[in-house]
PDB file of all heavy atoms in Angstrom:
ATOM      1  N   LYS A   1    -171.324  82.856  21.943  1.00 94.00           N
ATOM      2  CA  LYS A   1    -171.638  81.287  21.918  1.00 94.00           C
ATOM      3  C   LYS A   1    -171.075  80.646  23.201  1.00 94.00           C
ATOM      4  O   LYS A   1    -170.134  81.155  23.805  1.00 94.00           O
ATOM      5  CB  LYS A   1    -170.976  80.727  20.619  1.00 94.00           C
ATOM      6  CG  LYS A   1    -169.433  80.823  20.584  1.00 94.00           C
ATOM      7  CD  LYS A   1    -168.916  80.254  19.250  1.00 94.00           C
ATOM      8  CE  LYS A   1    -167.404  80.343  19.152  1.00 94.00           C
ATOM      9  NZ  LYS A   1    -166.947  79.739  17.937  1.00 94.00           N
ATOM     10  N   SER A   2    -171.589  79.472  23.493  1.00 97.00           N
ATOM     11  CA  SER A   2    -171.178  78.796  24.706  1.00 97.00           C
ATOM     12  C   SER A   2    -171.055  77.276  24.421  1.00 97.00           C
ATOM     13  O   SER A   2    -171.735  76.792  23.489  1.00 97.00           O
ATOM     14  CB  SER A   2    -172.118  79.075  25.814  1.00 97.00           C
ATOM     15  OG  SER A   2    -173.406  78.511  25.571  1.00 97.00           O
ATOM     16  N   LYS A   3    -170.323  76.568  25.262  1.00 97.00           N
ATOM     17  CA  LYS A   3    -170.092  75.142  25.102  1.00 97.00           C
ATOM     18  C   LYS A   3    -170.126  74.540  26.479  1.00 97.00           C
ATOM     19  O   LYS A   3    -169.314  74.985  27.329  1.00 97.00           O
ATOM     20  CB  LYS A   3    -168.854  74.842  24.390  1.00 97.00           C
ATOM     21  CG  LYS A   3    -168.674  73.364  24.133  1.00 97.00           C
ATOM     22  CD  LYS A   3    -167.403  73.117  23.223  1.00 97.00           C
ATOM     23  CE  LYS A   3    -167.243  71.647  22.987  1.00 97.00           C
ATOM     24  NZ  LYS A   3    -166.004  71.370  22.119  1.00 97.00           N
ATOM     25  N   ILE A   4    -170.888  73.495  26.683  1.00 98.00           N
ATOM     26  CA  ILE A   4    -170.900  72.803  27.953  1.00 98.00           C
ATOM     27  C   ILE A   4    -170.089  71.538  27.876  1.00 98.00           C
ATOM     28  O   ILE A   4    -170.060  70.837  26.946  1.00 98.00           O
ATOM     29  CB  ILE A   4    -172.363  72.413  28.343  1.00 98.00           C
ATOM     30  CG1 ILE A   4    -173.291  73.580  28.470  1.00 98.00           C
ATOM     31  CG2 ILE A   4    -172.412  71.535  29.625  1.00 98.00           C
ATOM     32  CD1 ILE A   4    -174.778  73.286  28.614  1.00 98.00           C
ATOM     33  N   LYS A   5    -169.370  71.263  28.940  1.00 97.00           N
ATOM     34  CA  LYS A   5    -168.511  70.012  29.057  1.00 97.00           C
ATOM     35  C   LYS A   5    -168.467  69.491  30.545  1.00 97.00           C
ATOM     36  O   LYS A   5    -168.362  70.244  31.471  1.00 97.00           O
ATOM     37  CB  LYS A   5    -167.066  70.349  28.621  1.00 97.00           C
ATOM     38  CG  LYS A   5    -166.143  69.100  28.528  1.00 97.00           C
ATOM     39  CD  LYS A   5    -164.810  69.521  28.020  1.00 97.00           C
ATOM     40  CE  LYS A   5    -163.972  68.234  27.857  1.00 97.00           C
ATOM     41  NZ  LYS A   5    -162.558  68.557  27.367  1.00 97.00           N
ATOM     42  N   LEU A   6    -168.610  68.188  30.585  1.00 96.00           N
ATOM     43  CA  LEU A   6    -168.606  67.511  31.883  1.00 96.00           C
ATOM     44  C   LEU A   6    -167.062  67.194  32.149  1.00 96.00           C
ATOM     45  O   LEU A   6    -166.422  66.653  31.375  1.00 96.00           O
ATOM     46  CB  LEU A   6    -169.334  66.189  31.829  1.00 96.00           C
ATOM     47  CG  LEU A   6    -169.372  65.335  33.147  1.00 96.00           C
ATOM     48  CD1 LEU A   6    -170.088  66.191  34.242  1.00 96.00           C
ATOM     49  CD2 LEU A   6    -170.087  64.018  32.874  1.00 96.00           C
ATOM     50  N   VAL A   7    -166.608  67.671  33.347  1.00 94.00           N
ATOM     51  CA  VAL A   7    -165.196  67.581  33.654  1.00 94.00           C
ATOM     52  C   VAL A   7    -164.975  66.436  34.672  1.00 94.00           C
ATOM     53  O   VAL A   7    -165.570  66.432  35.749  1.00 94.00           O
ATOM     54  CB  VAL A   7    -164.716  68.869  34.221  1.00 94.00           C
ATOM     55  CG1 VAL A   7    -163.201  68.791  34.613  1.00 94.00           C
ATOM     56  CG2 VAL A   7    -164.932  70.028  33.260  1.00 94.00           C
ATOM     57  N   PRO A   8    -164.094  65.449  34.422  1.00 88.00           N
ATOM     58  CA  PRO A   8    -163.859  64.440  35.409  1.00 88.00           C
ATOM     59  C   PRO A   8    -163.197  64.989  36.616  1.00 88.00           C
ATOM     60  O   PRO A   8    -162.263  65.886  36.525  1.00 88.00           O
ATOM     61  CB  PRO A   8    -162.895  63.494  34.665  1.00 88.00           C
ATOM     62  CG  PRO A   8    -163.066  63.809  33.250  1.00 88.00           C
ATOM     63  CD  PRO A   8    -163.456  65.250  33.192  1.00 88.00           C
ATOM     64  N   THR A   9    -163.542  64.496  37.829  1.00 86.00           N
ATOM     65  CA  THR A   9    -162.869  64.936  39.050  1.00 86.00           C
ATOM     66  C   THR A   9    -162.562  63.686  39.881  1.00 86.00           C
ATOM     67  O   THR A   9    -163.132  62.619  39.850  1.00 86.00           O
ATOM     68  CB  THR A   9    -163.865  65.835  39.826  1.00 86.00           C
ATOM     69  OG1 THR A   9    -165.068  65.072  40.127  1.00 86.00           O
ATOM     70  CG2 THR A   9    -164.265  67.119  39.128  1.00 86.00           C
ATOM     71  N   ALA A  10    -161.513  63.970  40.749  1.00 81.00           N
ATOM     72  CA  ALA A  10    -160.952  62.893  41.617  1.00 81.00           C
ATOM     73  C   ALA A  10    -161.946  62.473  42.711  1.00 81.00           C
ATOM     74  O   ALA A  10    -162.091  61.282  43.062  1.00 81.00           O
ATOM     75  CB  ALA A  10    -159.659  63.373  42.232  1.00 81.00           C
ATOM     76  N   ASN A  11    -162.717  63.429  43.194  1.00 85.00           N
ATOM     77  CA  ASN A  11    -163.660  63.103  44.238  1.00 85.00           C
ATOM     78  C   ASN A  11    -165.062  62.696  43.791  1.00 85.00           C
ATOM     79  O   ASN A  11    -165.986  62.487  44.630  1.00 85.00           O
ATOM     80  CB  ASN A  11    -163.816  64.326  45.223  1.00 85.00           C
ATOM     81  CG  ASN A  11    -164.346  65.544  44.481  1.00 85.00           C
ATOM     82  OD1 ASN A  11    -164.713  65.429  43.313  1.00 85.00           O
ATOM     83  ND2 ASN A  11    -164.414  66.653  45.160  1.00 85.00           N
ATOM     84  N   GLY A  12    -165.267  62.642  42.492  1.00 82.00           N
ATOM     85  CA  GLY A  12    -166.530  62.192  41.894  1.00 82.00           C
ATOM     86  C   GLY A  12    -167.605  63.189  41.885  1.00 82.00           C
ATOM     87  O   GLY A  12    -168.730  62.962  41.473  1.00 82.00           O
ATOM     88  N   GLN A  13    -167.263  64.422  42.340  1.00 90.00           N
ATOM     89  CA  GLN A  13    -168.212  65.606  42.220  1.00 90.00           C
ATOM     90  C   GLN A  13    -168.525  65.922  40.787  1.00 90.00           C
ATOM     91  O   GLN A  13    -167.730  66.081  39.860  1.00 90.00           O
ATOM     92  CB  GLN A  13    -167.524  66.785  42.886  1.00 90.00           C
ATOM     93  CG  GLN A  13    -168.322  68.136  42.637  1.00 90.00           C
ATOM     94  CD  GLN A  13    -169.600  68.324  43.492  1.00 90.00           C
ATOM     95  OE1 GLN A  13    -169.576  68.010  44.691  1.00 90.00           O
ATOM     96  NE2 GLN A  13    -170.633  68.733  42.805  1.00 90.00           N
ATOM     97  N   LEU A  14    -169.829  65.902  40.508  1.00 94.00           N
ATOM     98  CA  LEU A  14    -170.357  66.222  39.107  1.00 94.00           C
ATOM     99  C   LEU A  14    -170.050  67.610  38.857  1.00 94.00           C
ATOM    100  O   LEU A  14    -170.543  68.519  39.377  1.00 94.00           O
ATOM    101  CB  LEU A  14    -171.847  65.965  39.039  1.00 94.00           C
ATOM    102  CG  LEU A  14    -172.470  65.681  37.632  1.00 94.00           C
ATOM    103  CD1 LEU A  14    -171.758  64.483  36.979  1.00 94.00           C
ATOM    104  CD2 LEU A  14    -173.849  65.525  37.708  1.00 94.00           C
ATOM    105  N   THR A  15    -169.135  67.872  37.880  1.00 97.00           N
ATOM    106  CA  THR A  15    -168.582  69.232  37.618  1.00 97.00           C
ATOM    107  C   THR A  15    -168.729  69.554  36.144  1.00 97.00           C
ATOM    108  O   THR A  15    -168.367  68.716  35.259  1.00 97.00           O
ATOM    109  CB  THR A  15    -167.206  69.301  38.049  1.00 97.00           C
ATOM    110  OG1 THR A  15    -166.971  68.995  39.439  1.00 97.00           O
ATOM    111  CG2 THR A  15    -166.637  70.715  37.810  1.00 97.00           C
ATOM    112  N   PHE A  16    -169.219  70.676  35.842  1.00 98.00           N
ATOM    113  CA  PHE A  16    -169.466  71.204  34.471  1.00 98.00           C
ATOM    114  C   PHE A  16    -168.608  72.407  34.315  1.00 98.00           C
ATOM    115  O   PHE A  16    -168.437  73.220  35.169  1.00 98.00           O
ATOM    116  CB  PHE A  16    -170.831  71.439  34.144  1.00 98.00           C
ATOM    117  CG  PHE A  16    -171.808  70.364  34.180  1.00 98.00           C
ATOM    118  CD1 PHE A  16    -172.442  69.997  35.350  1.00 98.00           C
ATOM    119  CD2 PHE A  16    -172.087  69.589  33.011  1.00 98.00           C
ATOM    120  CE1 PHE A  16    -173.327  68.883  35.442  1.00 98.00           C
ATOM    121  CE2 PHE A  16    -172.927  68.515  33.077  1.00 98.00           C
ATOM    122  CZ  PHE A  16    -173.604  68.173  34.237  1.00 98.00           C
ATOM    123  N   THR A  17    -168.075  72.587  33.075  1.00 98.00           N
ATOM    124  CA  THR A  17    -167.443  73.795  32.674  1.00 98.00           C
ATOM    125  C   THR A  17    -168.263  74.404  31.518  1.00 98.00           C
ATOM    126  O   THR A  17    -168.571  73.735  30.538  1.00 98.00           O
ATOM    127  CB  THR A  17    -166.010  73.599  32.201  1.00 98.00           C
ATOM    128  OG1 THR A  17    -165.239  73.151  33.309  1.00 98.00           O
ATOM    129  CG2 THR A  17    -165.435  74.928  31.727  1.00 98.00           C
ATOM    130  N   ILE A  18    -168.667  75.578  31.599  1.00 98.00           N
ATOM    131  CA  ILE A  18    -169.328  76.355  30.491  1.00 98.00           C
ATOM    132  C   ILE A  18    -168.362  77.379  29.993  1.00 98.00           C
ATOM    133  O   ILE A  18    -168.043  78.335  30.671  1.00 98.00           O
ATOM    134  CB  ILE A  18    -170.657  77.040  31.015  1.00 98.00           C
ATOM    135  CG1 ILE A  18    -171.582  76.028  31.601  1.00 98.00           C
ATOM    136  CG2 ILE A  18    -171.299  77.748  29.797  1.00 98.00           C
ATOM    137  CD1 ILE A  18    -173.001  76.613  32.052  1.00 98.00           C
ATOM    138  N   THR A  19    -167.915  77.157  28.730  1.00 98.00           N
ATOM    139  CA  THR A  19    -166.959  78.066  28.119  1.00 98.00           C
ATOM    140  C   THR A  19    -167.832  79.012  27.285  1.00 98.00           C
ATOM    141  O   THR A  19    -168.536  78.625  26.413  1.00 98.00           O
ATOM    142  CB  THR A  19    -166.006  77.238  27.189  1.00 98.00           C
ATOM    143  OG1 THR A  19    -165.310  76.387  28.030  1.00 98.00           O
ATOM    144  CG2 THR A  19    -165.043  78.271  26.555  1.00 98.00           C
ATOM    145  N   VAL A  20    -167.609  80.327  27.577  1.00 97.00           N
ATOM    146  CA  VAL A  20    -168.365  81.276  26.884  1.00 97.00           C
ATOM    147  C   VAL A  20    -167.425  82.131  25.986  1.00 97.00           C
ATOM    148  O   VAL A  20    -166.407  82.652  26.470  1.00 97.00           O
ATOM    149  CB  VAL A  20    -169.110  82.283  27.818  1.00 97.00           C
ATOM    150  CG1 VAL A  20    -169.819  83.387  27.145  1.00 97.00           C
ATOM    151  CG2 VAL A  20    -170.132  81.495  28.701  1.00 97.00           C
ATOM    152  N   SER A  21    -167.760  82.287  24.753  1.00 96.00           N
ATOM    153  CA  SER A  21    -167.011  83.186  23.789  1.00 96.00           C
ATOM    154  C   SER A  21    -167.871  84.367  23.426  1.00 96.00           C
ATOM    155  O   SER A  21    -168.936  84.211  22.876  1.00 96.00           O
ATOM    156  CB  SER A  21    -166.504  82.397  22.668  1.00 96.00           C
ATOM    157  OG  SER A  21    -165.661  81.287  22.993  1.00 96.00           O
ATOM    158  N   VAL A  22    -167.311  85.633  23.674  1.00 94.00           N
ATOM    159  CA  VAL A  22    -168.108  86.773  23.335  1.00 94.00           C
ATOM    160  C   VAL A  22    -167.262  87.775  22.507  1.00 94.00           C
ATOM    161  O   VAL A  22    -166.068  87.838  22.625  1.00 94.00           O
ATOM    162  CB  VAL A  22    -168.411  87.554  24.701  1.00 94.00           C
ATOM    163  CG1 VAL A  22    -169.182  88.866  24.367  1.00 94.00           C
ATOM    164  CG2 VAL A  22    -169.235  86.665  25.633  1.00 94.00           C
ATOM    165  N   GLU A  23    -167.956  88.266  21.450  1.00 93.00           N
ATOM    166  CA  GLU A  23    -167.286  89.161  20.499  1.00 93.00           C
ATOM    167  C   GLU A  23    -167.961  90.556  20.549  1.00 93.00           C
ATOM    168  O   GLU A  23    -169.197  90.600  20.507  1.00 93.00           O
ATOM    169  CB  GLU A  23    -167.368  88.629  19.092  1.00 93.00           C
ATOM    170  CG  GLU A  23    -166.605  89.454  18.115  1.00 93.00           C
ATOM    171  CD  GLU A  23    -166.647  88.875  16.718  1.00 93.00           C
ATOM    172  OE1 GLU A  23    -166.758  87.606  16.594  1.00 93.00           O
ATOM    173  OE2 GLU A  23    -166.462  89.571  15.687  1.00 93.00           O
ATOM    174  N   GLY A  24    -167.198  91.560  20.568  1.00 91.00           N
ATOM    175  CA  GLY A  24    -167.802  92.957  20.581  1.00 91.00           C
ATOM    176  C   GLY A  24    -166.778  93.991  20.402  1.00 91.00           C
ATOM    177  O   GLY A  24    -165.598  93.708  20.052  1.00 91.00           O
ATOM    178  N   GLU A  25    -167.178  95.253  20.667  1.00 89.00           N
ATOM    179  CA  GLU A  25    -166.193  96.305  20.579  1.00 89.00           C
ATOM    180  C   GLU A  25    -166.357  97.279  21.731  1.00 89.00           C
ATOM    181  O   GLU A  25    -167.383  97.308  22.412  1.00 89.00           O
ATOM    182  CB  GLU A  25    -166.485  97.108  19.269  1.00 89.00           C
ATOM    183  CG  GLU A  25    -167.898  97.678  19.195  1.00 89.00           C
ATOM    184  CD  GLU A  25    -168.177  98.332  17.819  1.00 89.00           C
ATOM    185  OE1 GLU A  25    -167.796  97.808  16.846  1.00 89.00           O
ATOM    186  OE2 GLU A  25    -168.808  99.414  17.876  1.00 89.00           O
ATOM    187  N   ILE A  26    -165.258  98.070  22.018  1.00 85.00           N
ATOM    188  CA  ILE A  26    -165.264  98.987  23.136  1.00 85.00           C
ATOM    189  C   ILE A  26    -165.747 100.370  22.616  1.00 85.00           C
ATOM    190  O   ILE A  26    -165.364 100.828  21.566  1.00 85.00           O
ATOM    191  CB  ILE A  26    -163.828  99.126  23.725  1.00 85.00           C
ATOM    192  CG1 ILE A  26    -163.330  97.834  24.349  1.00 85.00           C
ATOM    193  CG2 ILE A  26    -163.681 100.303  24.687  1.00 85.00           C
ATOM    194  CD1 ILE A  26    -164.071  97.465  25.668  1.00 85.00           C
ATOM    195  N   GLN A  27    -166.697 100.934  23.422  1.00 77.00           N
ATOM    196  CA  GLN A  27    -167.092 102.268  23.217  1.00 77.00           C
ATOM    197  C   GLN A  27    -166.853 103.114  24.487  1.00 77.00           C
ATOM    198  O   GLN A  27    -167.135 102.481  25.527  1.00 77.00           O
ATOM    199  CB  GLN A  27    -168.553 102.289  22.811  1.00 77.00           C
ATOM    200  CG  GLN A  27    -168.790 101.613  21.445  1.00 77.00           C
ATOM    201  CD  GLN A  27    -170.308 101.566  21.155  1.00 77.00           C
ATOM    202  OE1 GLN A  27    -171.144 101.966  21.991  1.00 77.00           O
ATOM    203  NE2 GLN A  27    -170.574 101.367  19.901  1.00 77.00           N
ATOM    204  N   GLU A  28    -166.485 104.354  24.392  1.00 66.00           N
ATOM    205  CA  GLU A  28    -166.122 105.115  25.606  1.00 66.00           C
ATOM    206  C   GLU A  28    -167.299 106.074  25.966  1.00 66.00           C
ATOM    207  O   GLU A  28    -167.976 106.592  25.087  1.00 66.00           O
ATOM    208  CB  GLU A  28    -164.896 105.893  25.489  1.00 66.00           C
ATOM    209  CG  GLU A  28    -163.656 105.076  25.164  1.00 66.00           C
ATOM    210  CD  GLU A  28    -163.380 105.027  23.683  1.00 66.00           C
ATOM    211  OE1 GLU A  28    -164.226 105.459  22.972  1.00 66.00           O
ATOM    212  OE2 GLU A  28    -162.256 104.590  23.358  1.00 66.00           O
ATOM    213  N   VAL A  29    -167.420 106.251  27.271  1.00 61.00           N
ATOM    214  CA  VAL A  29    -168.303 107.278  27.786  1.00 61.00           C
ATOM    215  C   VAL A  29    -167.517 108.201  28.758  1.00 61.00           C
ATOM    216  O   VAL A  29    -166.861 107.625  29.604  1.00 61.00           O
ATOM    217  CB  VAL A  29    -169.551 106.770  28.424  1.00 61.00           C
ATOM    218  CG1 VAL A  29    -170.454 107.869  29.038  1.00 61.00           C
ATOM    219  CG2 VAL A  29    -170.296 105.917  27.492  1.00 61.00           C
ATOM    220  N   ASN A  30    -167.520 109.466  28.674  1.00 62.00           N
ATOM    221  CA  ASN A  30    -166.777 110.354  29.489  1.00 62.00           C
ATOM    222  C   ASN A  30    -165.282 110.114  29.469  1.00 62.00           C
ATOM    223  O   ASN A  30    -164.567 110.291  30.416  1.00 62.00           O
ATOM    224  CB  ASN A  30    -167.189 110.216  30.987  1.00 62.00           C
ATOM    225  CG  ASN A  30    -168.665 110.597  31.248  1.00 62.00           C
ATOM    226  OD1 ASN A  30    -169.136 111.473  30.510  1.00 62.00           O
ATOM    227  ND2 ASN A  30    -169.332 109.956  32.167  1.00 62.00           N
TER     228      ASN A  30
END
């Protein structure tokens, strides 16, 4: 799942943060 957020900046640069949450499991090879 992901979430977008507009982040305030001092220089006025339009900045976004995309937070990604991933769920899974580890499987081994070799």
Side-chain angles (χ1 to χ4, degrees):
K1 61 181 180 179
S2 67
K3 184 177 181 180
I4 300 171
K5 186 176 181 180
L6 180 65
V7 181
T9 58
N11 61 3
Q13 167 76 43
L14 200 60
T15 303
F16 295 89
T17 294
I18 301 180
T19 301
V20 176
S21 300
V22 180
E23 183 178 336
E25 61 183 40
I26 294 291
Q27 298 179 345
E28 302 97 346
V29 177
N30 297 329

